[in-house]
Amino acid sequence: MVQFAPLDWVWMILFLLLMIGCGVLFYRLGKRSESDFFLAGRGLPWWLPAASVYATHTATDTPIWVTGVIYKYGLTGIWYTFFSAWCAISAFVSTRIFRRSLAYTQAEWQSLRFGGLGSELLRGWMAGWQVFMNMFILGWVGIAMGKVCHYAFGWPLWIGLVVFSSICAIYVLMAGYWGVVMADFQQGVIAFAAILITSIWGIVAAGGPHAIVTKLSLLGQSWRLNPFHFTGWFSGNFPIAWFITMMVIALVGGFGMGTSIDWYSEAQRIQSAKTVRDASYSIWWGTAFVIVRNSIWAAAILGFFVLFPNIKDPAQYELGWYRLGFDYLPVGMLGFFFASILAIHLSTVSTQLNLGAMYATRDLYHHYINPEASQKKLIWVGRFSTFLLLIGSFIFGLMMKEITKWLIFALWIMTAGVWLPNILQVIWWRFNAWGYLTAWIANLGLSWVVVWILPMFGVIPDLPDYLQFWALMVLTAFIYIPITYLTKPEKMDHLVKYYVMSRPIGFWGPVRREAEKQGLLEKVTHVK
């Protein structure tokens, strides 16, 4: 049980006051318009959304997940986190295309890329999915906080789940995205400092780098130091086939939009940047900090392993990085450590609350229910949606036990069949709304069948996650590709308008020629 000294309480109280102060300070800006409440008026320099990208992806569950894969696989597990590298490609491809569209959300972008009834159904589907998914993300982030508080203070899980997310909701409800992004900058600085200090402290507690290497050798675990310690081409827990899968996802996936669930929070940062260049820089540098952070964590977890080797229960070793902080930091630093945990937690909670509310407000209420709503009413709908997302997250959080298992399923498997369609919608003019919508629905059904139902009845064995990914991608393609060809392409006038506005890359020859024929492409080539 962690015991706080007076200085520890001072750290925590000061941090909470600082975060709530963000809501008060930026309340006036957040209430001016829908654009301010959800995109900070589209006027941010690149370093603010970059800090927000980094802070958002440094969540309470993130060190739990990273600890889980590093403790189990050694440094080879770092490749589990490499999927974020897709942003490096995205920063110069899909980021630019999306920013030029000026769409608030991915769902709104669908109505610009596609047309007709299919586009309307797709926008509603994407918006509903994102409202659900943000509650789901908030649930696993919240229960991660519950686990940390249970370990540190012995609190029931529901207290850590409910209390701090509710505090976060105060400044999100007041200032919207202005409060989110300004708090993210502060939270990112605090979190990075704490990650660096705690990780170094844990490495020192394990005896330093040389002692860690020596102890791993004595334990017969030197293989953990090798990030390329694969178990064969297709055999074992970490085959080369899995590594190739991760590289394909990370590098090729950057050409698409929605490569994983992470794209959607990135999309909000892209549209909040003041220029296309600022948007690109924000995604590039935000991702760079994420990769550096993961590397620091990985080194610390090797230290945790030599201190506590061969823990079998994932629920126990997943808390390894938190244990380094709570068990080894001196009195007076514990409060700073816990304040940094709050920073890590609130940065992600605030993003998902505001992002989910944007889909509910912009794409469901404003587009389908009340297109004539005033700016004041839209902001109040955004606040009400934020509150509903918070309540829904508590329900989902109480359903989750093992963070890593749910995260892998949600990040990769549940969207595996949509990975290629996400790329096709950017690079291929013939891909239409019906193909994309079919891919989503088919993959959601097939993912449960392949991962849970068929193995449960012994029809197929439990497949490793990389085989699940490829199986779902192929099976879903057998459905959406025929549907794409059996349905009409989008109307040429609609595609030309989109092409002129967004200037996508890839296979757009017929659309480009039509734009040239109409004299529109010449106008675009001179726009700067």
Side-chain angles (χ1 to χ4, degrees), residues 209-420:
H210 180 72
I212 291 173
V213 172
T214 302
K215 290 175 183 179
L216 286 173
S217 178
L218 292 174
L219 290 168
Q221 301 287 327
S222 294
W223 60 267
R224 292 179 176 274
L225 298 169
N226 181 8
F228 298 99
H229 179 74
F230 303 120
T231 54
W233 279 99
F234 299 99
S235 60
N237 292 328
F238 226 102
I240 295 173
W242 182 93
F243 174 72
I244 293 172
T245 300
M246 290 305 299
M247 293 303 100
V248 170
I249 294 172
L251 300 179
V252 180
F255 287 90
M257 294 183 189
T259 301
S260 69
I261 61 170
D262 289 330
W263 162 264
Y264 304 98
S265 55
E266 260 81 51
Q268 189 179 23
R269 274 88 195 132
I270 290 167
Q271 291 295 10
S272 69
K274 62 181 179 180
T275 66
V276 173
R277 178 176 293 182
D278 283 282
S280 295
Y281 284 179
S282 69
I283 300 302
W284 175 269
W285 286 108
T287 307
F289 276 113
V290 169
I291 293 174
V292 170
R293 176 209 69 190
N294 293 343
S295 302
I296 296 171
W297 268 335
I301 299 313
L302 290 179
F304 175 76
F305 181 86
V306 302
L307 289 168
F308 303 96
N310 302 318
I311 301 174
K312 302 300 181 185
D313 184 5
Q316 296 299 317
Y317 64 67
E318 284 183 335
L319 289 171
W321 184 76
Y322 288 115
R323 291 178 62 179
L324 290 176
F326 286 125
D327 294 352
Y328 292 97
L329 286 174
V331 173
M333 283 298 294
L334 287 174
F336 177 75
F337 180 63
F338 190 69
S340 72
I341 294 173
L342 291 179
I344 287 170
H345 179 65
L346 300 188
S347 63
T348 301
V349 170
S350 62
T351 287
Q352 307 306 150
L353 284 172
N354 188 252
L355 179 63
M358 180 165 64
Y359 278 93
T361 304
R362 177 76 176 180
D363 295 300
L364 296 179
Y365 178 79
H366 194 188
H367 183 69
Y368 291 107
I369 299 173
N370 189 1
E372 305 301 323
S374 66
Q375 292 296 301
K376 183 177 180 180
K377 188 162 191 176
L378 289 173
I379 292 170
W380 279 108
V381 171
R383 288 174 174 154
F384 181 69
S385 300
T386 301
F387 177 75
L388 290 182
L389 282 159
L390 181 69
I391 301 303
S393 74
F394 297 154
I395 297 171
F396 279 115
L398 293 172
M399 296 166 56
M400 300 178 189
K401 292 184 179 180
E402 188 182 332
I403 299 295
T404 304
K405 183 177 180 180
W406 278 104
L407 196 61
I408 290 173
F409 181 68
L411 279 176
W412 300 329
I413 308 306
M414 207 156 58
T415 56
V418 196
W419 178 81
L420 185 56

